[in-house]
Amino acid sequence: MPSLFSRILAGTLPAAIVANDGPWAAFLDIAPVAPGHLLVVPRYEAPLLADLPPDVLAALGPFLARAVRAVRAATGAPAVNILVNDGAAAGQAVPHVHLHVIPRTTGDGRWTPPHGQTGTDLAPTLAALRVAWR
Ligand code: 5GP
C-alpha cells in the first residue's frame, strides 16, 4: 500500500500542491503551524532521510532552497524553521520522508528548540561519532 504522501503525489488523494514535477515535491501541510507551512517530500518512498538514494539526496539541496525562498516570498516571513522528524521516536507520524518548512517571524511565540547546557562532557560521543563516521 503506497504511503499517504505517495498517494498525494500520485493524485489519488487531494492536497494543496505547489510543485510536483521532479524527484521532490512540495505541498501545504493540512494542519499548518503557520500559514505557508510547506512539506517537502521525495517521490521515492522511504521512512528515513538517510535511506534515500544518493541521486534523490543530491537533488534535495536546490529544491529545499527553492522551497524556502518561495515560503519567505509568499508569506513575508524573514525566517523559517526546517524540521525533519526522522523516525517514529523523533515524532514522525507519516513514515515517508518529509521536511517541514515553517515560516517564522520575530516574537511569533512559536516553539524553538531549547539550547542545552554548556559544560556537558562531549568527549565520549565525539569519539563514538568519529568512529561511526568512517
Ligand atoms: P510528522 O509528524 O510525520 O513530521 O509530520 C506529518 C505532517 O503531515 C503533519 O504536520 C500533518 O499535519 C501532515 N499531514 C498528515 N496528513 C496529511 C494529509 O493528508 N495531507 C497533508 N497535506 N498533510 C498531512
Side-chain angles (χ1 to χ4, degrees):
M1 172 85 163
S3 77
L4 174 67
F5 288 168
S6 287
R7 281 177 278 156
I8 285 175
L9 298 190
T12 55
L13 284 178
I17 292 178
V18 176
N20 187 17
D21 56 1
W24 289 84
F27 53 86
L28 290 174
D29 195 296
I30 202 169
V33 171
H37 178 172
L38 202 59
L39 297 177
V40 167
V41 180
R43 193 167 309 285
Y44 186 99
E45 185 178 326
L48 303 178
L49 187 76
D51 292 339
L52 294 175
D55 60 319
V56 177
L57 287 169
L60 173 58
F63 190 88
L64 181 59
R66 191 170 178 179
V68 168
R69 284 194 294 267
V71 167
R72 285 201 310 242
T75 65
V80 298
N81 285 124
I82 300 168
L83 172 72
V84 185
N85 295 322
D86 202 34
Q92 186 182 34
V94 179
H96 180 150
V97 173
H98 52 284
L99 295 84
H100 299 256
V101 179
I102 303 170
R104 295 295 305 267
T105 52
T106 304
D108 62 15
R110 301 194 194 286
W111 181 80
T112 296
H115 291 286
Q117 291 191 326
T118 54
T120 307
D121 182 5
L122 304 181
T125 41
L126 176 62
L129 277 165
R130 284 178 172 165
V131 170
W133 195 265
R134 290 184 201 135

